[in-house]
Amino acid sequence: MADPVRIVLGGFGNVGRQIARRVAKPGSGIKIVAIAARDKDRARASALDLGLEVPVIDAAEAPAFDAILVECATYDGFRAVVEPTLRAGGHVIAVSVGALAENMDLIALTESTGATLQIAGGTLPGLDIIRAAAEDEIRSVTLTSHINPASFAHEPYIHENGIDLAAAKDGPVPVFEGSAREAAGHFPRHFNVAVTLGLVGIGLDATRVCIRADGTLPGARHSLEVDAAAVGVTMVSQNYPSPDNNRTSMIVALSILAALRGQAPGLRIGS
């Protein structure tokens, strides 16, 4: 039997706890060796509730554990969580990818230190086929996202632009159209998918994003259109909310788990 994949959880909020619950099951093949958290007392209490007894540490200590750092913190905490491991040449799997739009130097840092900064692709359809298409010519990439209006209620962009979300209870209300970089800047907590898509394809500035507030759907719906020399892509994903926090899609934690299982030897599917 192969040794389990060792991980440090960089954050222990909704996503971190979802991962921990599933990893705690027998035969998961994944072992949590530490938790990096700002509020250590709260993290320890949450870990004990799940039957998890591991060190609770500062992010700067993570490289000493010889493990993959799974960043599941927040947009604001992203850099502080991942930078020590990247500087040490370690491996990071990131959740708060929208923060990369304002921290692109971290990508250059991985190249200089030999680190790995991995973006799990399970939250958005078609990333493997876009990665393949990018080996030739991609002419356009457009992402149209329908998001529950409650997720936008406190975003400054909504209030600054006088957008009335009340009508979204009956159908889609236009919120934004622009580049993936602009979408991530205006909605940094919501558009990890836009940054992921821009990085895998034709860049943050050339990737177009259309956002609609829509209260008629059970969760975020992402529609993807790609025009490339080798392939045309039309894909739709309907995400469902986490039972613990309806502002987070359930597929986020599962995407991280799938990425971790991909580290083990054996059959590997995906480019």
Side-chain angles (χ1 to χ4, degrees), residues 24-80:
K25 296 178 181 179
S28 72
I30 301 167
K31 181 180 180 181
I32 299 171
V33 297
I35 297 168
R38 285 182 292 186
D39 189 336
K40 294 182 177 56
D41 290 337
R42 184 177 179 182
R44 287 190 191 97
S46 295
L48 288 174
D49 285 344
L50 297 174
L52 184 61
E53 296 186 44
V54 297
V56 178
I57 63 173
D58 292 322
E61 301 174 80
F65 284 81
D66 189 27
I68 297 172
L69 175 69
V70 177
E71 178 275 317
C72 42
T74 63
Y75 170 85
D76 294 327
F78 176 81
R79 187 178 190 105

Side-chain angles (χ1 to χ4, degrees), residues 147-150 152-176 187 211-215:
I147 307 293
N148 191 296
F152 288 139
H154 303 293
E155 292 292 346
Y157 181 91
I158 298 297
H159 301 287
E160 290 166 3
N161 289 275
I163 299 171
D164 183 5
L165 297 178
K169 69 179 187 300
D170 299 317
V173 171
V175 169
F176 169 85
F187 305 99
I211 303 173
R212 309 285 184 260
D214 193 341

Side-chain angles (χ1 to χ4, degrees), residues 201-215:
I202 54 176
L204 297 178
D205 297 311
T207 300
R208 305 306 296 168
V209 176
C210 303
I211 303 173
R212 309 285 184 260
D214 193 341

Side-chain angles (χ1 to χ4, degrees), residues 6-7 37 41 68 73-74 89 95 99 105 126 128 136 175 187 216 222 228 231 234 248-249:
R6 294 166 51 87
I7 67 170
D41 290 337
I68 297 172
T74 63
V95 170
D105 62 299
D128 265 0
D136 195 353
V175 169
F187 305 99
T216 67
H222 300 297
V231 67
T234 301
T248 302
S249 294

Side-chain angles (χ1 to χ4, degrees), residues 19-20 32 50 52 54 83 129 131 140 150 152 167 185 191 209 267:
I19 293 170
I32 299 171
L50 297 174
L52 184 61
V54 297
E83 187 170 8
I129 199 168
R131 186 183 297 113
S140 67
F152 288 139
F191 277 88
V209 176
L267 176 66

Side-chain angles (χ1 to χ4, degrees), residues 82-123:
V82 305
E83 187 170 8
T85 295
L86 295 179
R87 287 199 177 279
H91 186 163
V92 172
I93 297 179
V95 170
S96 308
V97 180
L100 273 177
E102 298 296 327
N103 292 279
M104 294 295 283
D105 62 299
L106 292 177
I107 297 175
L109 178 62
T110 66
E111 296 168 358
S112 65
T113 64
T116 298
L117 176 55
Q118 181 177 353
I119 299 170
T123 58

Side-chain angles (χ1 to χ4, degrees), residues 166-192:
K169 69 179 187 300
D170 299 317
V173 171
V175 169
F176 169 85
E177 292 192 17
S179 71
R181 189 185 303 277
E182 292 168 330
H186 292 310
F187 305 99
R189 293 163 183 80
H190 301 282
F191 277 88
N192 297 325

